[in-house]
Amino acid sequence: MSTPTDLRSRKRLATRQGISNAATRLFHEHGFDHVTVDQIAAAADVGRMTVFNHFPRKEDMFFDRDEEGREALREAIRAREPGVSALEALRLLAHRLVAQGSPFVDFSARSQGFVRTIEGSETLKARARAIRDELADVVAQALAESAGRPATDVQARLAAGLLLAAWTVAFLHGHRVFADTQDTSHAQKSFLSLVDQGARGLQAALADSPYV
């Protein structure tokens, strides 16, 4: 009984990835706001309802790794080594993602299309801002949980807000550096330098909290 279930799961994941790939290609070629769900369905060779079964909103097809990113943040805090603070674990996560060549911190010719598509759509820019706020909530809850504090802990929320602000600045700067230099290594170093600078600021701001 388990094999058919696994097969169905693999087929579902393959269908989801196929839809996402088709949508991303069309978004990059024509701009997010000029692509319809029907066009995506046709390009992915699925029905319109199949698209909505996998992606409730059109922008979810563009930010299709959103949940994966949330889990990476949670796991970095939960699985940190003994003696490593929660905020330090997140700083180390940024370095690890760069070292692994993660698509979350990709500064390359390929990623420039992603950035341009966002910049060309007010819908995507609004969703990107919402995702940043949602990630701050994820980090705040994970930080509070790590210290045995309520999910509403104000210091956890302050830490998460400052962290996401710093990472956003670092992320956008990394892309600007690549656009100017076409040098991935330089962009990565610029990104990590700002992440580290933000981490030092966080440590000073939250010195009396259980998160540093």
Side-chain angles (χ1 to χ4, degrees), residues 6-76:
D6 290 344
L7 179 60
R8 283 195 295 270
S9 296
R10 289 197 299 272
K11 286 184 175 180
R12 179 174 176 79
L13 288 173
T15 299
R16 177 185 172 84
Q17 190 61 54
I19 294 169
S20 175
N21 290 345
T24 298
R25 176 175 57 79
L26 290 172
F27 294 154
H28 286 181
E29 290 176 356
H30 306 291
F32 178 83
D33 297 321
H34 300 292
V35 176
T36 68
V37 172
D38 286 335
Q39 288 172 322
I40 294 167
D45 196 24
V46 298
R48 177 185 176 88
M49 288 311 299
T50 299
V51 173
F52 283 118
N53 285 341
H54 288 274
F55 299 98
R57 296 173 296 191
K58 194 172 77 166
E59 52 265 44
D60 293 335
M61 296 178 233
F62 188 81
F63 295 110
D64 64 318
R65 307 192 77 154
D66 179 25
E67 183 53 41
E68 186 180 338
R70 296 168 194 241
E71 187 54 33
L73 292 168
R74 296 187 192 101
E75 187 63 16

Side-chain angles (χ1 to χ4, degrees), residues 98 105-108 170-171 173-194:
V98 168
V105 288
D106 178 26
F107 305 109
S108 67
F171 180 78
H173 182 64
H175 281 294
R176 281 194 292 271
V177 168
F178 180 83
D180 291 340
T181 67
Q182 300 297 299
D183 186 332
T184 294
S185 178
H186 186 27
Q188 290 173 336
K189 290 176 181 176
S190 298
F191 166 75
L192 291 176
S193 176
L194 285 175

Side-chain angles (χ1 to χ4, degrees), residues 54 84 106 108 117 119 133 139 184 192 198 202:
H54 288 274
V84 176
D106 178 26
S108 67
T117 303
E119 292 175 342
D133 293 342
V139 171
T184 294
L192 291 176
L202 272 168

Side-chain angles (χ1 to χ4, degrees), residues 64-80 89-90 93 96-97 104 131 134-135 137-139 141-142 145 167:
D64 64 318
R65 307 192 77 154
D66 179 25
E67 183 53 41
E68 186 180 338
R70 296 168 194 241
E71 187 54 33
L73 292 168
R74 296 187 192 101
E75 187 63 16
I77 295 172
R78 291 173 184 163
R80 68 190 189 278
L90 291 172
L93 170 65
R96 190 161 60 250
L97 290 174
F104 292 121
I131 288 173
E134 291 162 9
L135 289 175
D137 286 338
V138 167
V139 171
Q141 291 175 21
E145 180 184 335
W167 279 30

